[in-house]
Amino acid sequence: MTVTYAQEWDLSDLYHSLADPRLDQDVQALQAQAGRFRETYRGRVATLTPLEVRTALQTLESLWERVGYAYAYPALMFAADTQNTLARQRLDQVMQAATEIENQVLFFSLELQQLPAAQLTSLSQAPDLAGYRHYLERLQLTQPYQLPEAVEQTRNQASLTGRQAFIQLRSLHQGALTYRPVTTPEGTTATLEAELGALLFHGDADTRYQAYTSIRERLAEHNLLYGYILSTLAQDHRLENQLRGYPSTLAKQLLADEVPEAVFRAVMDGTRARYDLFQRYYRRKGEALGQKIRTCDVLAPWPSQPPVDTRIDYDRGIALLLGALGEFSDTYRQRAEQFFQKRWVDAQLRPGKQGGAFCSYVYGKHSYLLLSYAADYNSLFTLAHEMGHGLHFAWIGEAQTYFNSNPPMVLAEVASVFNELLLLDYLLERASDQPQLQRVLLVRLIEDQLNLIFRQSTISRLELAIHEGATQGSFDHEFVNQTWMQLYQELGGDAVEVLPEHGVDWARIGHIFFKPYYCYQYTASSVVSLACYQQYRQHGREFIPGYLQLLASGGSQEQIGALQQYVGVDLTQPATIDRALDTVAGLIDRLEASR
C-alpha cells in the first residue's frame, strides 16, 4: 500500500500564523529576560563559582532556545515564499529583537574571556562545568579577537543594515526573478528555477542548453548588482579583520570552524593535484555522448539503449529512502519517517520559493527540511542529503545542550553524504537486473563526488581570490566573472568546454555571500564520508555505534579528534585524502568496465 505524504510543511508546533499574538508576546518576554540576566550578572562574572557559571550558562541556553523558535517561524515562512511581504517584515522585526537581546547578554562571554588565563582554564576543568569544557576552551581561543562590549554591540546593530541586509537583498532579488520558459521535446514547459535546473539532466542537448542559459541570462542582467553585493560583503569582512586583528578572512573562518589551516591546505592541494580524475571522467562522458562536454552538459544522462526512465515521484522516493535507511538502522529509519508523518518537509515546487535546499534545526524541537522536489533521482538524493542533516541533529538534540548543539562544519556534512551513499547502494542492489539503471545510478554517484570534491573546492579557490582582492581594494563583477572562468577552465582542462554564460554562475552560490569558505568543507566532509562508508562496508554493524556517537558529539569537542576517536579517520593525513580520491577513481574504472 502506497502512503501519500503532503509536500508542504506544517510549522504549527512553532506558531499558528504570522499574526499569532504569541510571537510578539514571546519576543517581549525574551527581551525582559535578557534585561534581568544583565542586571543579575553584569560585572560579577569574575566572582562566580563554577556552579554559578553553569547556572548562568543554562539560563542563556534557555533564552537562546526560545529566541530560535521566534526566529525560525518567519524565516521558514519567508524561505517557502520570498514574495511573502509579511513574512519578510516579521523576520526583520525578530532579527532586530534578537540583535537587541544579543547586545544585552554578550557581556557574559566577554567577561569570561577577560578572566586571567589561569582562572578561565580552572573553570574549563571544573567538574561542575564538564559539559561546557569545549565551549570555554573556544572562548579562550577567540579571546584575542574580541572587542569592548560597546563596540561589539555597535557591530551587531550595524549588521542589520550592513552585512545581513546585503545578504537579504540577494535572496529577495533572486527569489523575485522570472525566467525565459523552456519547452522540452515532450511538450512540457519549465519556468521555475528548480524546473529549469532539473532540465540539465534532460537527454536533449538543446533543451539542456536552453535551460542553462535561461537562468544565467537573468543573472547576467543583474551581474553588476551581484558583483557589488559580493564586493561589499568582502570589504565588510576585511574591515572586521582589521578591527579584530584577524590576519585574513580565511583565518577568521578556519578558527570559527575549528579547522587547522594545514587541513585546509591539504584539501586544496590534494584536490588540485588530481584534476585528471575530473577531466578523465568528462572525456569518457563526451565520447559516450558523441560531443565535447559543455558546462551545460555535465549533468546530462549517460546514453543508454533503451532509454532509462529516471522519473520518480515523491511518495515512491520517500519509500526508497526509508528502505535504504532501514537497512542501516531501524531507529534511523523510524526517525526519518517522522519528518514525513509530521510534515517537517517542504518539497513543493512553487514560484518565489528560495532556491536550493537546506535543513534548519530548531533546538528543543526538531529540524525542518526545504527543497524543490522535481520528481527525479537528483531530487531524491537531495532529499537524502538534507535528511542526513536532520538525523544528525536528532542525535545531537538527545545528547547535547544548546551551546554544544552546533557541529563544526566538517562534521556537519558527514551524515548527509553518508546518507547519499546508503541510498545509492540500496538502489544499485534493487536494480541488479537493470544494468542500464545501475549505470545511471553509478554515474550519479561519480558526478556527485566530482562536484563535492572538485567543484566545491574550486568555489573556495574563487573565495581566496575574492578576499585577496578585497585586501587590495574593491573589485567589480568582471573580476569575479573572469576569475571564475579561469578556475573552471583549469579544472575542466581540454575535457570540458566552459561556456561564456558560465562566467556569471557564481551568483547562484549562496555560501560565498553568507558563509565564506564553507564550500571546501563539502570536500573535506566527502573525504570523511567516503572513509566512514568504507569502514561501514568492511565492518558492518560494528561500525554503527561509533558513527552514531560521532553524530551525537555535536559541537562538544574538537572535530579532528572526534573523527579519530569515534570512527578512526585522520583528516590531517594526506593518505586519507588520497584514499578517497582513489575510491572515486575506482568508480570510474567500474563505469568504464561496464561499457
Side-chain angles (χ1 to χ4, degrees):
M1 177 180 175
T2 302
V3 179
T4 300
Y5 294 102
Q7 295 194 41
E8 295 179 80
W9 54 26
D10 177 4
L11 305 180
S12 61
D13 57 349
L14 292 170
Y15 296 94
H16 292 301
S17 72
L18 290 165
D20 190 333
R22 292 184 303 128
L23 182 56
D24 288 326
Q25 293 166 4
D26 287 351
V27 169
Q28 292 168 7
L30 289 164
Q31 289 172 313
Q33 182 183 348
R36 291 193 299 271
F37 184 88
R38 185 177 181 86
E39 292 174 3
T40 302
Y41 291 106
R42 189 169 188 267
R44 295 187 52 237
V45 174
T47 68
L48 298 178
T49 66
L51 181 59
E52 290 171 327
V53 171
R54 186 181 73 185
T55 299
L57 289 173
Q58 289 172 337
T59 302
L60 281 176
E61 288 183 311
S62 175
L63 174 73
W64 286 119
E65 178 180 335
R66 292 166 58 214
V67 169
Y69 302 163
Y71 170 82
Y73 187 78
L76 293 171
M77 290 287 288
F78 177 72
D81 180 8
T82 60
Q83 298 172 8
N84 186 330
T85 302
L86 180 57
R88 179 179 58 79
Q89 292 172 344
R90 296 293 270 165
L91 179 58
D92 289 344
Q93 292 167 1
V94 174
M95 289 177 65
Q96 175 69 42
T99 300
E100 293 171 0
I101 290 168
E102 183 176 5
N103 281 345
Q104 286 287 315
V105 303
L106 66 80
F107 74 88
F108 193 82
S109 61
L110 294 176
E111 288 190 28
L112 279 174
Q113 288 177 316
Q114 291 163 5
L115 295 176
Q119 186 178 356
L120 188 51
T121 299
S122 178
L123 279 177
S124 68
Q125 296 175 352
D128 284 333
L129 288 166
Y132 297 96
R133 181 165 298 163
H134 188 61
Y135 170 80
L136 294 169
E137 290 171 347
R138 296 291 302 159
L139 286 181
Q140 285 182 291
L141 289 174
T142 57
Q143 188 278 333
Y145 310 107
Q146 295 303 314
L147 303 170
E149 181 185 8
V151 181
E152 292 283 6
Q153 290 174 329
T154 301
R155 287 288 302 174
N156 288 338
Q157 197 68 37
S159 179
L160 292 172
T161 52
R163 186 185 300 175
Q164 291 303 319
F166 278 100
I167 293 170
Q168 190 84 322
L169 171 62
R170 173 191 168 272
S171 295
L172 280 168
H173 193 273
Q174 289 207 341
L177 291 179
T178 57
Y179 302 97
R180 170 173 51 83
V182 174
T183 301
T184 70
E186 296 79 20
T188 60
T189 299
T191 58
L192 302 179
E193 182 184 13
E195 294 172 330
L196 292 165
L199 289 184
L200 296 179
F201 295 86
H202 197 280
D204 178 64
D206 186 61
T207 299
R208 294 193 299 270
Y209 178 76
Q210 294 301 327
Y212 178 90
T213 55
S214 176
I215 292 174
R216 285 153 187 83
E217 67 192 17
R218 295 310 309 272
L219 298 179
E221 289 175 18
H222 305 289
N223 192 212
L224 177 65
L225 171 64
Y226 294 134
Y228 179 77
I229 292 172
L230 187 58
S231 179
T232 300
L233 292 171
Q235 289 297 327
D236 188 75
H237 282 289
R238 178 183 66 81
L239 294 173
E240 182 182 37
N241 299 338
Q242 292 177 347
L243 187 64
R244 295 185 182 278
Y246 288 109
S248 65
T249 300
L250 174 64
K252 176 177 65 178
Q253 291 304 136
L254 291 179
L255 180 63
D257 297 334
E258 302 182 41
V259 175
E261 185 169 350
V263 170
F264 172 80
R265 297 297 177 187
V267 167
M268 300 301 283
D269 293 345
T271 51
R272 178 168 253 157
R274 298 297 300 274
Y275 278 180
D276 62 294
L277 284 178
F278 188 91
Q279 295 164 13
R280 171 190 166 194
Y281 173 78
Y282 281 109
R283 282 194 201 96
R284 297 294 182 270
K285 187 168 188 175
E287 292 170 3
L289 289 173
Q291 65 171 78
K292 185 173 183 177
I293 295 294
R294 305 165 294 176
T295 42
C296 64
D297 301 318
V298 294
L299 299 176
W302 198 282
S304 61
Q305 292 297 331
V308 177
D309 185 0
T310 58
R311 293 172 299 173
I312 185 162
D313 66 50
Y314 188 58
D315 295 325
R316 180 167 171 256
I318 291 172
L320 289 169
L321 175 58
L322 294 178
L325 299 180
E327 289 205 350
F328 177 71
S329 161
D330 288 338
T331 304
Y332 224 54
R333 180 197 187 283
Q334 291 164 8
R335 290 190 172 180
E337 192 170 19
Q338 286 186 322
F339 280 77
F340 306 110
Q341 293 172 335
K342 298 185 177 181
R343 294 181 58 190
W344 298 341
V345 182
D346 192 288
Q348 188 179 64
L349 293 166
R350 72 173 73 89
K353 187 173 185 177
Q354 180 176 314
F358 66 70
C359 166
S360 177
Y361 177 50
V362 183
Y363 183 86
K365 297 285 188 181
H366 49 78
S367 296
Y368 293 92
L369 311 184
L370 178 140
L371 70 154
S372 294
Y373 193 89
D376 55 22
Y377 278 104
N378 187 58
S379 296
L380 176 56
F381 277 93
T382 299
L383 179 59
H385 183 98
E386 299 307 331
M387 182 61 74
H389 287 303
L391 292 170
H392 190 173
F393 283 117
W395 259 263
I396 288 173
E398 286 189 346
Q400 304 298 338
T401 63
Y402 181 90
F403 284 142
N404 290 329
S405 65
N406 191 27
M409 297 313 299
V410 171
L411 291 188
E413 293 295 333
V414 170
S416 299
V417 179
F418 194 87
N419 257 25
E420 293 189 63
L421 294 170
L422 287 172
L423 176 62
L424 178 87
D425 263 359
Y426 183 77
L427 294 175
L428 285 173
E429 290 173 7
R430 288 175 63 87
S432 60
D433 60 344
Q434 303 174 66
Q436 299 292 354
L437 178 56
Q438 281 197 326
R439 176 177 288 180
V440 167
L441 295 169
L442 188 59
V443 163
R444 200 275 171 200
L445 174 61
I446 293 171
E447 294 183 359
D448 188 50
Q449 290 302 315
L450 292 177
N451 170 53
L452 290 169
I453 292 173
F454 293 108
R455 182 176 181 271
Q456 298 298 330
S457 57
T458 299
I459 293 170
S460 287
R461 295 184 213 286
L462 173 67
E463 292 182 288
L464 286 169
I466 287 170
H467 291 286
E468 175 60 29
T471 66
Q472 308 301 320
S474 62
F475 55 82
D476 62 11
H477 57 289
E478 290 293 347
F479 169 79
V480 189
N481 295 348
Q482 293 167 9
T483 303
W484 182 236
M485 286 289 284
Q486 290 168 1
L487 289 168
Y488 225 83
Q489 286 166 347
E490 180 188 358
L491 172 62
D494 63 1
V496 177
E497 177 187 350
V498 182
L499 296 173
E501 293 86 352
H502 197 71
V504 301
D505 191 67
W506 54 267
R508 300 178 64 241
I509 307 169
H511 289 115
I512 67 174
F513 293 90
F514 65 78
K515 180 68 173 178
Y517 297 106
Y518 188 103
C519 290
Y520 85 91
Q521 293 170 100
Y522 283 115
T523 306
S525 290
S526 181
V527 169
V528 171
S529 297
L530 286 168
C532 286
Y533 203 71
Q534 290 164 356
Q535 293 195 40
Y536 169 58
R537 297 292 291 176
Q538 180 179 354
H539 301 291
R541 295 196 173 275
E542 292 179 7
F543 168 80
I544 296 176
Y547 176 74
L548 296 180
Q549 283 182 292
L550 177 68
L551 299 189
S553 68
S556 66
Q557 62 188 100
E558 185 270 324
Q559 63 180 340
I560 303 301
L563 283 168
Q564 293 175 320
Q565 177 183 348
Y566 296 121
V567 292
V569 173
D570 187 353
L571 198 53
T572 67
Q573 295 299 315
T576 303
I577 299 172
D578 290 340
R579 282 194 296 271
L581 295 172
D582 287 343
T583 299
V584 177
L587 292 171
I588 298 174
D589 291 341
R590 181 176 171 185
L591 180 68
E592 290 178 337
S594 70
R595 288 188 297 175

